[in-house]
Amino acid sequence: MEYHNNKEFALKMDKEDSLASYRYQFYFPKHTDGKESIYFCGNSLGLQPKTTKTYIEAVLDDWKYLGVKGHFEGENPFATYHEDLGKKMAAIVGAKHKEVVAMNSLTVNLHLMMVTFYRPEGERRKIVIEKNAFPSDQYAVKSQLEFHGYDPDETLIEVEPRKGEDLLRTEDITDLIAREGNEIALVLLSGLNYYTGQAYDMESITKAGHAMGCQVGFDLAHGAGNLKLSLHDWGVDFAVWCTYKYMNSGPGGIAGCFVHSDHIKRKDLPRFTGWWGNKKETRFLMDDTFDPIEGAEGWQMSNETVLSMAALKASLDIFDQVGMDKLIEKSRKLTGYLEFLIDGLRSDRIQVITPKDPEARGAQLSIRVLKSDKSLFEAISNKGVIADWREPDVIRIAPAPLYNSFTDVFRFVEILKELVR
């Protein structure tokens, strides 16, 4: 669309925005001057919905007045609280209800998925990952390789951009899989790279991995609630994500997990088991033979913290009202406007390294500060902008479509313009 570099245009876009009212359903931190901060850090911790306290208090009241009977009585019984969350998250990630479950934390779920889907055998024992993946993924993968008795230096393949480039090319990933696929057991990439903001072509990567007999999984920490996903149709074997970023579940909020329907009925798949993954019909018979639920719920181990799930439910109910299609539509306009205004600065101090193609990014632009100077980040922070610095040289700006406005974007770039000059 055609953008204009003036405040009137930003105000006009906000007035025409059908999602503008959702901004007022969230709390914004205040700057030292008492005014609302310009909050562009939803890719690290989403803002708190104003209904969160009510949802948590409802659980506290059920516990208070029902005690143990709250597991099966009340409006939202504890024992089945997670089921509605799984249904709503399935719509967000493009999955069937049975393929998604809310449980644990992201890296715990990643380990549980690798127990099932990393099954080295013979020469097929390598794992493919990004060289600049989020460190927790690196730690998890290396520890899994070591657990199986392998040296990560010999069994970890780290795919990286070409020399002089910041972004991974899809053909380089798929060519690597085709070239070394007979030795690859698992392809495990981010859906969206936390540092560059690049969204990968998950459909093509999954197809390439399966063509070579590899299992394919994704860490969607920065993709879930941000990108248009179709995990079921793409045939992804598994995916994991946190919910405290774009899904606004609060610090350390409960995570999500996807297991494709091709796998959910298989009882022969290895997994770490616990009683909450046992069929609900027989769970309380207290039998010592594990009989898994046919679905992603079959990978559950223990009943989850309902208070944490209540915070997630508050946000997912908003997502359910809006729908991902409308969020993606606004997100692309909002991020496109941010890109347009930054490009207009023509500053030699900064460089956007996130892809220009809206299909290859989400609600984030990564701004490289040349010469790795953190002073610019500190300066925008002092002006009331809450963003994120990632070593060695990037400021991450994430305008979340649920609560950020075009005026937020315009105000931020005006501050940036003043500082880079």
Side-chain angles (χ1 to χ4, degrees), residues 29 49 58 68 145 152 261 267 277 281 306 311 347 351 367 379-380 391 405:
V68 70
L145 290 168
S261 57
K267 295 184 180 181
E281 298 83 356
V306 180
S347 171
Q351 172 192 10
I367 302 172
I380 65 171
E391 296 292 346
S405 67

Side-chain angles (χ1 to χ4, degrees), residues 114 117-118 126-128 184-188 214-217 238:
M114 284 193 284
F117 293 102
Y118 175 56
K126 295 181 179 180
I127 299 179
V128 175
I184 296 170
L186 174 63
V187 177
L188 176 62
C214 313
Q215 300 292 311
V216 182
F238 72 89

Side-chain angles (χ1 to χ4, degrees), residues 175-191:
D175 287 351
L176 182 149
I177 293 170
R179 187 171 62 250
E180 303 191 43
N182 291 329
E183 296 183 357
I184 296 170
L186 174 63
V187 177
L188 176 62
L189 300 174
S190 305

Side-chain angles (χ1 to χ4, degrees), residues 22 84 87-92 312-324 326-327 402:
Y22 285 94
D84 185 57
K87 181 180 180 180
K88 287 183 168 63
M89 283 198 291
I92 291 172
L312 174 58
K313 181 174 172 57
S315 180
L316 290 184
D317 282 354
I318 298 175
F319 271 84
D320 200 42
Q321 294 170 20
V322 178
M324 284 304 297
K326 289 184 179 179
L327 282 174
L402 259 184

Side-chain angles (χ1 to χ4, degrees), residues 6-16 337 406-407:
N6 56 66
K7 186 176 181 180
E8 290 70 29
F9 174 80
L11 291 170
K12 177 177 177 292
M13 291 296 292
D14 286 334
K15 186 176 181 179
E16 296 174 354
Y337 187 47
F406 291 87
T407 302

